[in-house]
Amino acid sequence: MADTDVLRAIDLEAFESADREHVFTYAYLSRPERFRIANLTAPEALTDPNLRVTLDTTADYAMISALFDLLGPAFDTATLLRAVAAHPWLRLVNPA
């Protein structure tokens, strides 16, 4: 099943608000037998447990906006981590 097929299936089948907000919980908690699931771990060089880059709060939006201003709309994790290292003030925008 292609990624878009999985998202379409979840959209049609998931009715609980938690499953609709956190899309993949439906796949791995509610229907793990229906979907192929893999647990991937990022290489150490591509992780920073003290960095929060998500979009749930106004501070999250400020962080993402600052990153887009610096990097443009297309960047990978390594580029993001280099930008934060080069601009330590970014950590103050959205503390982990």
Side-chain angles (χ1 to χ4, degrees):
M1 187 179 293
D3 294 343
T4 55
D5 295 332
V6 169
L7 290 173
R8 284 187 187 104
I10 291 170
D11 182 46
L12 291 172
E13 298 170 19
F15 296 104
E16 297 294 325
S17 61
D19 290 336
R20 296 198 63 78
E21 180 179 354
H22 305 285
V23 178
F24 291 108
T25 59
Y26 178 78
Y28 64 81
L29 293 178
S30 300
R31 298 291 305 275
E33 75 288 348
R34 176 142 163 44
F35 302 98
R36 194 173 76 177
I37 299 168
N39 186 18
L40 304 175
T41 303
E44 184 80 20
L46 296 178
T47 63
D48 184 340
N50 299 312
L51 182 64
R52 178 181 166 87
V53 183
T54 186
L55 185 53
D56 293 318
T57 67
T58 304
D60 294 341
Y61 180 77
M63 172 66 125
I64 291 171
S65 294
L67 287 166
F68 272 58
D69 289 346
L70 284 170
L71 303 173
F75 52 86
D76 60 16
T77 304
T79 303
L80 181 148
L81 292 173
R82 282 193 301 274
V84 172
H87 305 281
W89 59 266
L90 283 167
R91 292 187 183 276
L92 302 174
V93 173
N94 194 19

